[in-house]
Amino acid sequence: MKVSDYIVEFLINKGITDLWGYPGGSVTNLTDSLYKRKDKINAHVVYHEQAAGFAACAYANRNGIPGVAYSTGGPGATNLLTAVGHAYYDSIPVIFMTGNVNTHEAKGDLKIRQRGFQESDIVSVASPLTKISVYVEKPEKIKYYLEKIFYYATTNRPGPVLIDLPMDVLRAQVDAESLEGFVKTKSDKENVEETRFENCIKEALKLSKAPCLLLGNGLKRAMMQDKVRQVVEHLKMPYVTSMIAFDVIEHNEYYNGFVGAYGNRFANIVLSKSDLVIALGSRLDQRQVGAIRENFAKDAQIIRVDIDAGELSYMVHQNELSFCMDVEQALDILLNITLHRTFDEWNLKCNVVKEKLKGIDKAIPTEFLEELSKYIPENAMITTDVGQNMVWVPQAFHVKKGQKYMFSGGMGAMGHALPAAIGACYPRNQGISVCVCGDGGIQMNIQELQYIYREQIPVKIIVMNNYALGMIRHFQEMYFDSIYYQTTENGGYSVPDFAKIAEAYGIRGRVITCIEQLKELEYELNDEQPLLLEVRINEDTYVLPKLEYGKPNYDQQPLLDRKLLKELMDL
């Protein structure tokens, strides 16, 4: 059996239905093997390898199984790296497969930069951004390496893996029945974290008058949405989320927004008033807790659950309690706790905070997106880019049942939204995906409009066009005397007519300038055909509220009236 055929059969047996890549000399055997099994697995060609990686990430996010992206060696492999980093920081299981020169052409220990054409040591380059990267030096090792990388991608904290495949290895013949597999050594160490957590949480809830759940991205990665919903309904206590987990379940009466530097103002105030914060699967990074970590939920006992011991070592409070365990175990314990009290009074106070601050930070972009969200159906996939639009979406959208939102959280990669919306469409015939991006981000991977036209997939592209790189323009206004170099039309930056570009690709292009025009597009926003909707915003835009460096989360800019803030904090 040819090695490339073996790889394809391995992917099929793991339930993978679709993968993305770009052809090249060193992976021609692989693409030929994919062609021979196109009855079981669909290989989709994109127009840039970075787009292949982002599409594979979105496929993994949607389906809960690893995504797969492939490229040829050299520039093809390095073009994948931004997507590799995105998968690593956001804990997405993706298998990246790269071709390379024949083993006899590799430079090995020679003191030269390169021996074979398009040769690159992609394993060394990618290693800091993957859970594991391997070079298959012999055909007989293919089963071992495939099983090993799949194990690493999917166990504990998920993440990307990379397998580098020389041309002569891919075309070699092997006896599939005699290949040696990968066996993970089991640890005999007893896991006592569950018992510790159960005892701790029972005692903490007895003493707490104002508890709050903080739900993070780990819950989404573990596909725990149904169980999270059950826990929230069982405990009947307020919950907040990290920004990229704001859709962990559909919004309900206990949802109090997402926290952080650009978080909902009422969410940050609610959390600051809590006396107990139970953080599940959330990194609690600086964007979330603020620059001075001990000021986060300053008067609360913090209990943290994370599968990654390294994240728990980055403490928020010196007296916090941390548990290195699977979030599913923690959810099961919370679901089975018997509460001898209710938190009705505390929920009422949270509702007062929300009501007092309702609409206080609204702006034209968020008002538009809030209205748009009404037209987006259940079970739709929504992707965002990076910049102001990334924050406006969780500020404005009301999450409906079955919807999933995909961000580039840790990497913060412009160009993410469009190819991610492609990957979110697969397997096919499961509804639409909605791509929300800015005029800057859309141009990073705009070539993938050709993919969308070619495949006629139901991607709705919303371009929030403010004729500027809005996030950086805001920084320049705040810190650089409003010198808008490289961020506005007067500073050297410009944008095209996006609706016309869409039409050139064969995609319907529409332009609107006011919210009222949305109603006219209701049918086109929900049909099965691609659409690009350019929203022209002829004014300066901002992401507000915004936290000033070093300030506590509850006191974001523009500053609240001091009397109102005191009233809310004293509730």
Side-chain angles (χ1 to χ4, degrees), residues 185-194 196 309 324 329:
T185 305
K186 293 183 179 180
S187 172
D188 294 327
K189 184 180 178 181
E190 183 181 0
N191 186 355
V192 298
E193 291 292 81
E194 290 180 63
R196 284 184 58 235
C324 187
Q329 298 169 326

Side-chain angles (χ1 to χ4, degrees), residues 105-119:
E105 294 177 303
K107 71 172 186 175
D109 295 329
L110 291 174
K111 304 300 182 183
I112 57 178
R113 293 189 179 187
Q114 184 187 52
R115 185 180 181 188
F117 173 67
Q118 290 191 335
E119 177 188 6

Side-chain angles (χ1 to χ4, degrees), residues 246 362-376 382-385 387-400 403 405 407 434-438 460-465 512 514-515 518 525 533 535 537 542-543:
F246 94 113
K362 272 193 175 182
I364 286 178
T366 51
E367 286 181 343
F368 169 81
L369 290 171
E370 185 174 15
E371 184 67 18
L372 175 69
S373 73
K374 298 175 184 177
Y375 297 96
I376 306 303
I382 298 94
T383 67
T384 78
D385 226 279
Q388 292 178 325
N389 66 90
M390 181 186 187
V391 185
W392 290 335
V393 166
Q395 283 183 341
F397 267 68
H398 297 281
V399 179
K400 300 173 185 174
Q403 289 182 344
Y405 291 70
F407 303 87
V434 179
C435 159
V436 181
C437 52
K460 313 298 179 178
I461 305 151
I462 315 298
V463 182
M464 305 293 286
N465 183 8
I512 68 172
C514 64
I515 293 174
L518 266 178
L525 285 167
L533 175 59
V535 183
I537 307 169
Y542 302 93
V543 172

Side-chain angles (χ1 to χ4, degrees), residues 356-540:
K356 290 274 189 180
L357 297 176
K358 187 175 182 180
I360 196 167
D361 293 305
K362 272 193 175 182
I364 286 178
T366 51
E367 286 181 343
F368 169 81
L369 290 171
E370 185 174 15
E371 184 67 18
L372 175 69
S373 73
K374 298 175 184 177
Y375 297 96
I376 306 303
E378 292 184 353
N379 301 312
M381 303 291 108
I382 298 94
T383 67
T384 78
D385 226 279
V386 170
Q388 292 178 325
N389 66 90
M390 181 186 187
V391 185
W392 290 335
V393 166
Q395 283 183 341
F397 267 68
H398 297 281
V399 179
K400 300 173 185 174
K401 190 170 185 180
Q403 289 182 344
K404 289 185 180 179
Y405 291 70
M406 301 174 193
F407 303 87
S408 181
M411 187 59 131
M414 292 176 70
H416 163 263
L418 188 60
I422 289 171
C425 282
Y426 294 86
R428 292 288 297 272
N429 304 317
Q430 297 187 78
I432 70 169
S433 66
V434 179
C435 159
V436 181
C437 52
D439 50 84
I442 183 68
Q443 296 185 82
M444 292 282 187
N445 276 309
I446 200 168
Q447 74 283 342
E448 301 311 322
L449 290 176
Q450 182 62 33
Y451 181 109
I452 292 169
Y453 169 74
R454 186 190 76 216
E455 300 299 322
Q456 285 297 295
I457 53 177
V459 176
K460 313 298 179 178
I461 305 151
I462 315 298
V463 182
M464 305 293 286
N465 183 8
N466 59 3
Y467 305 93
L469 299 176
M471 189 73 86
I472 308 306
R473 181 184 61 188
H474 191 188
F475 289 168
Q476 291 171 329
E477 181 179 316
M478 292 176 66
Y479 305 119
F480 299 99
D481 299 323
S482 297
I483 299 172
Y484 302 129
Y485 185 53
Q486 298 184 339
T487 58
T488 66
E489 291 183 304
N490 293 329
Y493 171 82
S494 66
V495 301
D497 185 320
F498 293 104
K500 286 183 178 179
I501 287 179
E503 296 285 354
Y505 275 103
I507 295 171
R508 294 172 300 178
R510 303 286 184 265
V511 176
I512 68 172
T513 56
C514 64
I515 293 174
E516 290 72 25
Q517 292 173 282
L518 266 178
K519 182 65 178 175
E520 302 167 12
L521 296 168
E522 183 174 3
Y523 177 79
E524 291 181 274
L525 285 167
N526 284 275
D527 66 16
E528 292 296 310
Q529 302 302 312
L531 169 72
L532 185 146
L533 175 59
E534 181 183 347
V535 183
R536 293 181 177 171
I537 307 169
N538 296 303
E539 64 167 35
D540 290 351

Side-chain angles (χ1 to χ4, degrees), residues 139-211:
E140 296 77 17
K141 297 285 286 184
I142 190 62
K143 180 179 180 181
Y144 171 82
Y145 282 130
L146 285 174
E147 291 182 350
K148 185 173 185 177
I149 63 171
F150 194 89
Y151 173 85
Y152 273 88
T154 56
T155 56
N156 296 318
R157 183 179 181 179
V161 295
L162 184 141
I163 183 167
D164 195 30
L165 300 155
M167 283 189 286
D168 54 338
V169 169
L170 279 170
R171 65 174 176 264
Q173 296 288 325
V174 291
D175 179 2
E177 298 299 321
S178 64
L179 294 175
E180 178 186 351
F182 169 74
V183 179
K184 174 65 177 174
T185 305
K186 293 183 179 180
S187 172
D188 294 327
K189 184 180 178 181
E190 183 181 0
N191 186 355
V192 298
E193 291 292 81
E194 290 180 63
T195 302
R196 284 184 58 235
F197 177 73
E198 183 174 7
N199 292 336
C200 170
I201 207 72
K202 284 181 178 178
E203 186 63 26
L205 286 173
K206 281 181 186 177
L207 299 174
S208 174
K209 294 181 180 179

